[in-house]
Amino acid sequence: MSRVKTLIDKLNREKHLDREEWVSVITDYTDDDMAYAADIARRISLEHYGNVIYIRGIVEFSNICRNDCYYCGIRRSNTNAQRYRLTADEILECCDEGYGLRFRTFVLQSGEDKGYTNDELCGIVRRIKAAYPDCAVTLSLGELEHDEYKALREAGADRYLLRHETADCQHYEKLHPAEMSWQHRMDCLADLKSLGYQTGAGIMVGSPYQTAECIAEDMLFFERFRPEMIGLGPFLPHKDTPFRDEPKGSCELTLFLISLCRILLPRVLLPATTALGTIIPDGREKGVLAGANVIMPNLSPMTVRKKYMLYNDKLGTDSEAAESVNNIKERMSAIGYEVAVSRGDYK
Ligand code: SAH
């Protein structure tokens, strides 16, 4: 048995590895170790969630952003991005279409757009919850103040996605301009959790300057913080960012980390992300077979899809929501999974 397999078994048993052990797993794994981890992860996911994949309809309601993250296609310095902001009515129309397609979670994601007041955002959440009381609302609006998170939670938001991007402060500083703070982002995550949101953290796999030590730190952070959701996708360059010439992240390492997260936190909600589906055509199937149990098809109006371009060639900008859902159902059924019509809360 390889040393990596021994460590995977230890992780499965003790739900903990120390820093050096993580580094060694992340550095030394082979295809065979990947398959071994995927097998365990898939079994754990079947045990807790069955052969059921939850779908979340994502509405990318604004690409206006005050931040300037070096990796992101909608950073404020990208003057080639055509900016848009949906109205409350337009957002509600997306949810209406999504409800008809049997989505029971709506994810509202945007840049850090100060063009909506927090009261307006609360109003949108309240309207969605009133119109679809059987649905969950997930927000992904970036870093806000405590009172804003609190008001949104009181308005009915159930979950919040805020990838920490990296648990290594020095690495964070290489991905973001000096005006952004790693500590603030981490504080936001703690805040969200304390307000009772099902909270999602996560990273881009293979982001520039990321080392095995950085990822080991991320895994230790997941163990400590116990997020209800973890988003892992490969870094993909965007042509109008300072990282335009940086290499893509590894699809294999992304899949391996999905398996390791499933083993570490058996009940975590783990999406097979759009970035994973973008880097390889069967990325989402492979993600599910590695232990993922969530897929997030796009519900944004077709007219804005291409404008919410976080990275080059983003998947799903050409097909209608209905078409994507059918496509996902077929792909999932081909590998023995079915798509659920339910909120799909953390168990
Ligand atoms: N403004 C929100 C949403 C950001 S976009 C926030 O700050 O949380 C959602 C995620 O997309 C980011 O957290 C980041 O991890 C990912 N992302 C951005 N640019 C990317 C790129 N070039 N490649 C892969 N993922 C990217």
Side-chain angles (χ1 to χ4, degrees):
M1 184 128 133
S2 72
R3 168 158 158 84
V4 172
K5 287 203 190 73
T6 310
L7 288 172
I8 292 169
D9 280 343
K10 178 176 176 194
L11 173 65
N12 192 22
R13 230 177 22 248
E14 300 177 15
K15 305 298 172 195
H16 169 80
L17 293 181
D18 61 34
R19 191 173 277 100
E20 291 67 34
E21 290 170 328
W22 277 120
V23 169
S24 139
V25 169
I26 294 156
T27 314
D28 302 331
Y29 72 100
T30 62
D31 287 355
D32 200 43
D33 297 324
M34 262 180 82
Y36 186 78
D39 220 62
I40 298 174
R42 200 161 60 236
R43 261 189 288 134
I44 294 176
S45 159
L46 282 169
E47 186 185 316
H48 295 290
Y49 290 101
N51 67 331
V52 165
I53 301 303
Y54 299 124
I55 51 168
R56 324 300 200 187
I58 176 157
V59 182
E60 299 154 336
F61 66 94
S62 164
N63 70 349
I64 298 172
C65 193
R66 64 172 173 173
N67 288 332
D68 219 13
C69 310
Y70 300 146
Y71 45 85
C72 185
I74 63 168
R75 65 199 300 266
R76 69 160 188 263
S77 296
N78 180 9
T79 50
N80 289 333
Q82 295 177 40
R83 306 291 170 169
Y84 71 91
R85 175 185 296 141
L86 301 185
T87 64
D89 286 343
E90 288 170 322
I91 297 171
L92 264 291
E93 277 169 38
C94 297
C95 297
D96 192 60
E97 183 189 3
Y99 194 84
L101 294 170
R102 311 176 84 188
F103 285 99
R104 295 297 176 265
T105 292
F106 302 117
V107 181
L108 305 188
Q109 191 178 80
S110 66
E112 290 197 8
D113 180 1
K114 294 299 146 191
Y116 305 86
T117 64
N118 206 60
D119 283 347
E120 284 170 331
L121 293 169
C122 289
I124 294 170
V125 172
R126 263 190 240 103
R127 278 180 67 185
I128 299 175
K129 295 294 286 194
Y132 313 103
D134 54 338
C135 292
V137 170
T138 304
L139 299 176
S140 181
L141 321 174
E143 297 171 40
L144 302 176
E145 297 306 317
H146 173 85
D147 290 348
E148 298 175 309
Y149 285 145
K150 185 161 179 279
L152 287 161
R153 175 84 184 114
E154 284 163 4
D158 302 278
R159 312 187 189 126
Y160 204 103
L161 302 176
L162 185 74
R163 291 190 180 173
H164 65 292
E165 315 295 359
T166 173
D168 176 318
C169 177
Q170 273 85 50
H171 181 217
Y172 186 91
E173 289 171 2
K174 295 182 177 148
L175 302 178
H176 303 92
E179 76 242 18
M180 292 181 71
S181 149
W182 174 82
Q183 191 58 55
H184 188 259
R185 202 159 178 94
M186 288 307 210
D187 291 347
C188 284
L189 278 165
D191 215 4
L192 288 163
K193 204 150 205 211
S194 75
L195 287 166
Y197 283 97
Q198 293 172 48
T199 304
I203 64 167
M204 293 175 288
V205 179
S207 61
Y209 312 105
Q210 185 183 60
T211 61
E213 285 74 15
C214 296
I215 300 176
E217 216 49 67
D218 293 317
M219 298 308 286
L220 293 171
F221 169 69
F222 290 144
E223 183 193 333
R224 256 193 329 272
F225 183 68
R226 315 199 90 70
E228 283 80 17
M229 304 173 281
I230 295 181
L232 301 172
F235 162 76
L236 296 167
H238 184 290
K239 61 178 178 33
D240 300 316
T241 63
F243 290 162
R244 60 178 66 82
D245 296 322
E246 297 290 334
K248 292 179 183 174
S250 149
C251 155
E252 285 74 27
L253 182 55
T254 305
L255 292 166
F256 188 45
L257 291 174
I258 287 175
S259 300
L260 296 173
C261 284
R262 170 65 65 213
I263 299 171
L264 173 68
L265 298 170
R267 292 164 194 274
V268 73
L269 294 160
L270 259 177
T273 53
T274 305
L276 183 59
T278 300
I279 198 172
I280 41 163
D282 57 349
R284 278 159 328 163
E285 288 93 321
K286 286 202 167 121
V288 166
L289 294 172
N293 66 335
V294 171
I295 296 184
M296 300 167 64
N298 201 317
L299 268 185
S300 311
M302 290 308 286
T303 49
V304 305
R305 292 271 181 103
K306 282 197 163 46
K307 299 179 185 166
Y308 200 85
M309 209 45 99
L310 304 178
Y311 42 80
N312 296 338
D313 307 318
K314 184 167 155 239
L315 177 77
T317 59
D318 287 318
S319 46
E320 296 283 351
E323 198 187 317
S324 310
V325 173
N326 284 330
N327 180 267
I328 284 163
K329 279 188 188 152
E330 282 167 23
R331 284 166 180 262
M332 290 302 114
S333 113
I335 56 169
Y337 286 78
E338 58 184 71
V339 168
V341 186
S342 70
R343 286 173 44 128
D345 287 291
Y346 180 79
K347 287 188 182 169

mmCIF file of all heavy atoms in Angstrom, residues 71-72 109-112 140-142 161-163 165 185 204 234-238 275 308 310-311, ligand 1:
data_model
loop_
_atom_site.group_PDB
_atom_site.id
_atom_site.type_symbol
_atom_site.label_atom_id
_atom_site.label_comp_id
_atom_site.label_asym_id
_atom_site.label_seq_id
_atom_site.Cartn_x
_atom_site.Cartn_y
_atom_site.Cartn_z
ATOM 1 N N TYR A 71 -7.153 37.796 -10.422
ATOM 2 C CA TYR A 71 -7.546 36.630 -11.224
ATOM 3 C C TYR A 71 -8.879 36.798 -11.939
ATOM 4 O O TYR A 71 -9.207 36.063 -12.855
ATOM 5 C CB TYR A 71 -7.632 35.376 -10.324
ATOM 6 C CG TYR A 71 -8.353 35.630 -9.001
ATOM 7 C CD1 TYR A 71 -9.739 35.557 -8.908
ATOM 8 C CD2 TYR A 71 -7.622 35.981 -7.858
ATOM 9 C CE1 TYR A 71 -10.385 35.817 -7.710
ATOM 10 C CE2 TYR A 71 -8.265 36.241 -6.660
ATOM 11 C CZ TYR A 71 -9.644 36.166 -6.584
ATOM 12 O OH TYR A 71 -10.273 36.434 -5.404
ATOM 13 N N CYS A 72 -9.685 37.774 -11.499
ATOM 14 C CA CYS A 72 -11.105 37.749 -11.845
ATOM 15 C C CYS A 72 -11.449 38.641 -13.036
ATOM 16 O O CYS A 72 -11.074 39.809 -13.083
ATOM 17 C CB CYS A 72 -11.931 38.181 -10.634
ATOM 18 S SG CYS A 72 -13.700 38.045 -10.925
ATOM 19 N N GLN A 109 -25.638 35.663 -7.032
ATOM 20 C CA GLN A 109 -24.213 36.011 -6.980
ATOM 21 C C GLN A 109 -23.970 37.294 -7.764
ATOM 22 O O GLN A 109 -24.629 37.562 -8.761
ATOM 23 C CB GLN A 109 -23.359 34.879 -7.552
ATOM 24 C CG GLN A 109 -21.875 35.105 -7.268
ATOM 25 C CD GLN A 109 -20.999 33.972 -7.782
ATOM 26 O OE1 GLN A 109 -20.696 33.910 -8.964
ATOM 27 N NE2 GLN A 109 -20.589 33.088 -6.886
ATOM 28 N N SER A 110 -22.965 38.044 -7.292
ATOM 29 C CA SER A 110 -22.623 39.301 -7.974
ATOM 30 C C SER A 110 -21.216 39.737 -7.624
ATOM 31 O O SER A 110 -20.583 39.178 -6.728
ATOM 32 C CB SER A 110 -23.597 40.411 -7.538
ATOM 33 O OG SER A 110 -23.404 40.692 -6.169
ATOM 34 N N GLY A 111 -20.755 40.753 -8.323
ATOM 35 C CA GLY A 111 -19.566 41.463 -7.878
ATOM 36 C C GLY A 111 -19.934 42.252 -6.628
ATOM 37 O O GLY A 111 -21.092 42.266 -6.213
ATOM 38 N N GLU A 112 -18.971 42.897 -6.027
ATOM 39 C CA GLU A 112 -19.298 43.741 -4.868
ATOM 40 C C GLU A 112 -19.822 45.072 -5.400
ATOM 41 O O GLU A 112 -19.075 46.032 -5.574
ATOM 42 C CB GLU A 112 -18.091 43.890 -3.931
ATOM 43 C CG GLU A 112 -17.790 42.581 -3.214
ATOM 44 C CD GLU A 112 -16.902 42.746 -1.990
ATOM 45 O OE1 GLU A 112 -16.614 43.889 -1.585
ATOM 46 O OE2 GLU A 112 -16.492 41.707 -1.433
ATOM 47 N N SER A 140 -24.191 35.196 -2.525
ATOM 48 C CA SER A 140 -22.745 35.211 -2.764
ATOM 49 C C SER A 140 -22.403 36.605 -3.273
ATOM 50 O O SER A 140 -22.290 36.837 -4.474
ATOM 51 C CB SER A 140 -22.382 34.114 -3.780
ATOM 52 O OG SER A 140 -20.985 34.094 -4.001
ATOM 53 N N LEU A 141 -22.317 37.517 -2.325
ATOM 54 C CA LEU A 141 -22.191 38.947 -2.641
ATOM 55 C C LEU A 141 -20.860 39.513 -2.179
ATOM 56 O O LEU A 141 -20.669 40.729 -2.185
ATOM 57 C CB LEU A 141 -23.316 39.742 -1.951
ATOM 58 C CG LEU A 141 -24.720 39.130 -1.903
ATOM 59 C CD1 LEU A 141 -25.644 40.005 -1.062
ATOM 60 C CD2 LEU A 141 -25.286 38.994 -3.304
ATOM 61 N N GLY A 142 -19.971 38.635 -1.707
ATOM 62 C CA GLY A 142 -18.686 39.118 -1.230
ATOM 63 C C GLY A 142 -18.734 39.573 0.214
ATOM 64 O O GLY A 142 -19.576 39.129 1.000
ATOM 65 N N LEU A 161 -22.234 31.880 0.256
ATOM 66 C CA LEU A 161 -20.985 31.366 -0.318
ATOM 67 C C LEU A 161 -19.948 32.481 -0.338
ATOM 68 O O LEU A 161 -20.176 33.538 -0.936
ATOM 69 C CB LEU A 161 -21.199 30.902 -1.762
ATOM 70 C CG LEU A 161 -22.255 29.827 -2.008
ATOM 71 C CD1 LEU A 161 -22.404 29.576 -3.514
ATOM 72 C CD2 LEU A 161 -21.852 28.532 -1.295
ATOM 73 N N LEU A 162 -18.845 32.263 0.326
ATOM 74 C CA LEU A 162 -17.754 33.237 0.322
ATOM 75 C C LEU A 162 -16.450 32.432 0.348
ATOM 76 O O LEU A 162 -15.961 32.050 1.409
ATOM 77 C CB LEU A 162 -17.836 34.151 1.550
ATOM 78 C CG LEU A 162 -16.815 35.288 1.587
ATOM 79 C CD1 LEU A 162 -17.190 36.396 0.598
ATOM 80 C CD2 LEU A 162 -16.680 35.867 2.994
ATOM 81 N N ARG A 163 -15.938 32.140 -0.812
ATOM 82 C CA ARG A 163 -14.681 31.378 -0.825
ATOM 83 C C ARG A 163 -13.596 32.166 -0.100
ATOM 84 O O ARG A 163 -13.465 33.378 -0.346
ATOM 85 C CB ARG A 163 -14.247 31.108 -2.256
ATOM 86 C CG ARG A 163 -15.163 30.135 -2.978
ATOM 87 C CD ARG A 163 -14.486 29.766 -4.268
ATOM 88 N NE ARG A 163 -15.267 28.834 -5.053
ATOM 89 C CZ ARG A 163 -14.916 28.474 -6.284
ATOM 90 N NH1 ARG A 163 -13.817 28.989 -6.846
ATOM 91 N NH2 ARG A 163 -15.647 27.613 -6.943
ATOM 92 N N GLU A 165 -10.578 31.731 -0.639
ATOM 93 C CA GLU A 165 -9.582 31.807 -1.736
ATOM 94 C C GLU A 165 -8.227 31.205 -1.355
ATOM 95 O O GLU A 165 -7.616 30.526 -2.176
ATOM 96 C CB GLU A 165 -9.387 33.232 -2.293
ATOM 97 C CG GLU A 165 -10.663 34.051 -2.558
ATOM 98 C CD GLU A 165 -11.590 33.514 -3.646
ATOM 99 O OE1 GLU A 165 -11.280 32.483 -4.265
ATOM 100 O OE2 GLU A 165 -12.672 34.123 -3.844
ATOM 101 N N ARG A 185 -11.708 38.941 5.213
ATOM 102 C CA ARG A 185 -12.485 37.880 4.566
ATOM 103 C C ARG A 185 -12.727 36.726 5.551
ATOM 104 O O ARG A 185 -13.822 36.192 5.647
ATOM 105 C CB ARG A 185 -11.764 37.388 3.308
ATOM 106 C CG ARG A 185 -12.713 36.707 2.322
ATOM 107 C CD ARG A 185 -12.147 36.684 0.918
ATOM 108 N NE ARG A 185 -13.022 36.007 -0.006
ATOM 109 C CZ ARG A 185 -13.943 36.596 -0.782
ATOM 110 N NH1 ARG A 185 -14.109 37.895 -0.747
ATOM 111 N NH2 ARG A 185 -14.698 35.882 -1.602
ATOM 112 N N MET A 204 -9.594 28.346 -5.371
ATOM 113 C CA MET A 204 -9.285 28.002 -6.758
ATOM 114 C C MET A 204 -8.060 27.092 -6.714
ATOM 115 O O MET A 204 -7.036 27.451 -6.116
ATOM 116 C CB MET A 204 -8.930 29.262 -7.548
ATOM 117 C CG MET A 204 -10.101 30.208 -7.725
ATOM 118 S SD MET A 204 -9.594 31.735 -8.535
ATOM 119 C CE MET A 204 -8.681 32.515 -7.220
ATOM 120 N N PRO A 234 -10.837 24.622 -10.591
ATOM 121 C CA PRO A 234 -9.499 24.983 -11.066
ATOM 122 C C PRO A 234 -9.423 26.475 -11.378
ATOM 123 O O PRO A 234 -10.408 27.053 -11.852
ATOM 124 C CB PRO A 234 -9.350 24.162 -12.351
ATOM 125 C CG PRO A 234 -10.760 23.927 -12.825
ATOM 126 C CD PRO A 234 -11.593 23.830 -11.576
ATOM 127 N N PHE A 235 -8.284 27.097 -11.108
ATOM 128 C CA PHE A 235 -8.042 28.454 -11.600
ATOM 129 C C PHE A 235 -8.008 28.399 -13.117
ATOM 130 O O PHE A 235 -7.389 27.503 -13.704
ATOM 131 C CB PHE A 235 -6.706 29.002 -11.076
ATOM 132 C CG PHE A 235 -6.226 30.184 -11.883
ATOM 133 C CD1 PHE A 235 -6.818 31.428 -11.722
ATOM 134 C CD2 PHE A 235 -5.212 30.034 -12.827
ATOM 135 C CE1 PHE A 235 -6.420 32.511 -12.503
ATOM 136 C CE2 PHE A 235 -4.795 31.117 -13.604
ATOM 137 C CZ PHE A 235 -5.404 32.361 -13.438
ATOM 138 N N LEU A 236 -8.683 29.343 -13.768
ATOM 139 C CA LEU A 236 -8.640 29.458 -15.225
ATOM 140 C C LEU A 236 -8.331 30.913 -15.540
ATOM 141 O O LEU A 236 -8.975 31.812 -14.989
ATOM 142 C CB LEU A 236 -9.995 29.054 -15.830
ATOM 143 C CG LEU A 236 -10.403 27.587 -15.601
ATOM 144 C CD1 LEU A 236 -11.867 27.354 -15.955
ATOM 145 C CD2 LEU A 236 -9.513 26.662 -16.426
ATOM 146 N N PRO A 237 -7.356 31.166 -16.403
ATOM 147 C CA PRO A 237 -6.996 32.563 -16.661
ATOM 148 C C PRO A 237 -8.090 33.308 -17.426
ATOM 149 O O PRO A 237 -8.883 32.685 -18.135
ATOM 150 C CB PRO A 237 -5.723 32.448 -17.507
ATOM 151 C CG PRO A 237 -5.731 31.080 -18.073
ATOM 152 C CD PRO A 237 -6.525 30.211 -17.140
ATOM 153 N N HIS A 238 -8.144 34.592 -17.240
ATOM 154 C CA HIS A 238 -9.021 35.460 -18.024
ATOM 155 C C HIS A 238 -8.140 36.429 -18.799
ATOM 156 O O HIS A 238 -7.207 37.004 -18.237
ATOM 157 C CB HIS A 238 -9.987 36.220 -17.112
ATOM 158 C CG HIS A 238 -10.966 37.060 -17.871
ATOM 159 N ND1 HIS A 238 -10.597 38.204 -18.555
ATOM 160 C CD2 HIS A 238 -12.299 36.901 -18.090
ATOM 161 C CE1 HIS A 238 -11.667 38.718 -19.154
ATOM 162 N NE2 HIS A 238 -12.705 37.948 -18.887
ATOM 163 N N ALA A 275 -16.308 25.780 -13.200
ATOM 164 C CA ALA A 275 -14.910 25.804 -13.674
ATOM 165 C C ALA A 275 -14.412 24.378 -13.966
ATOM 166 O O ALA A 275 -13.689 24.153 -14.936
ATOM 167 C CB ALA A 275 -14.007 26.486 -12.646
ATOM 168 N N TYR A 308 -20.864 37.940 -17.523
ATOM 169 C CA TYR A 308 -20.382 37.497 -16.196
ATOM 170 C C TYR A 308 -19.275 36.483 -16.440
ATOM 171 O O TYR A 308 -19.377 35.299 -16.136
ATOM 172 C CB TYR A 308 -21.520 36.872 -15.383
ATOM 173 C CG TYR A 308 -21.236 36.829 -13.888
ATOM 174 C CD1 TYR A 308 -21.501 37.928 -13.069
ATOM 175 C CD2 TYR A 308 -20.685 35.693 -13.300
ATOM 176 C CE1 TYR A 308 -21.237 37.893 -11.710
ATOM 177 C CE2 TYR A 308 -20.419 35.643 -11.938
ATOM 178 C CZ TYR A 308 -20.698 36.752 -11.151
ATOM 179 O OH TYR A 308 -20.435 36.708 -9.796
ATOM 180 N N LEU A 310 -15.941 35.247 -15.532
ATOM 181 C CA LEU A 310 -14.895 35.291 -14.499
ATOM 182 C C LEU A 310 -13.566 34.819 -15.064
ATOM 183 O O LEU A 310 -12.501 35.209 -14.603
ATOM 184 C CB LEU A 310 -15.290 34.394 -13.321
ATOM 185 C CG LEU A 310 -16.644 34.677 -12.662
ATOM 186 C CD1 LEU A 310 -16.901 33.690 -11.548
ATOM 187 C CD2 LEU A 310 -16.684 36.102 -12.121
ATOM 188 N N TYR A 311 -13.638 33.934 -16.066
ATOM 189 C CA TYR A 311 -12.447 33.348 -16.693
ATOM 190 C C TYR A 311 -12.801 33.014 -18.133
ATOM 191 O O TYR A 311 -13.987 33.003 -18.504
ATOM 192 C CB TYR A 311 -11.993 32.090 -15.933
ATOM 193 C CG TYR A 311 -13.138 31.191 -15.509
ATOM 194 C CD1 TYR A 311 -13.735 30.324 -16.411
ATOM 195 C CD2 TYR A 311 -13.647 31.240 -14.209
ATOM 196 C CE1 TYR A 311 -14.795 29.526 -16.040
ATOM 197 C CE2 TYR A 311 -14.715 30.437 -13.825
ATOM 198 C CZ TYR A 311 -15.285 29.583 -14.751
ATOM 199 O OH TYR A 311 -16.353 28.813 -14.382
HETATM 200 N N1 SAH B 1 -17.972 38.770 -5.419
HETATM 201 C C1 SAH B 1 -18.272 37.475 -4.844
HETATM 202 C C2 SAH B 1 -18.365 36.376 -5.904
HETATM 203 C C3 SAH B 1 -17.062 36.170 -6.591
HETATM 204 S S1 SAH B 1 -17.075 35.137 -8.030
HETATM 205 C C4 SAH B 1 -17.217 37.162 -3.793
HETATM 206 O O1 SAH B 1 -16.327 37.961 -3.590
HETATM 207 O O2 SAH B 1 -17.306 36.117 -3.162
HETATM 208 C C5 SAH B 1 -17.061 33.544 -7.269
HETATM 209 C C6 SAH B 1 -15.746 32.808 -7.268
HETATM 210 O O3 SAH B 1 -15.257 32.610 -8.564
HETATM 211 C C7 SAH B 1 -14.603 33.500 -6.556
HETATM 212 O O4 SAH B 1 -14.707 33.359 -5.177
HETATM 213 C C8 SAH B 1 -13.381 32.802 -7.149
HETATM 214 O O5 SAH B 1 -12.927 31.742 -6.318
HETATM 215 C C9 SAH B 1 -13.909 32.248 -8.476
HETATM 216 N N2 SAH B 1 -13.134 32.813 -9.604
HETATM 217 C C10 SAH B 1 -12.944 34.112 -9.900
HETATM 218 N N3 SAH B 1 -12.076 34.238 -10.928
HETATM 219 C C11 SAH B 1 -11.715 32.990 -11.286
HETATM 220 C C12 SAH B 1 -10.826 32.462 -12.262
HETATM 221 N N4 SAH B 1 -10.127 33.248 -13.065
HETATM 222 N N5 SAH B 1 -10.695 31.115 -12.340
HETATM 223 C C13 SAH B 1 -11.407 30.303 -11.540
HETATM 224 N N6 SAH B 1 -12.244 30.744 -10.589
HETATM 225 C C14 SAH B 1 -12.400 32.077 -10.457
#
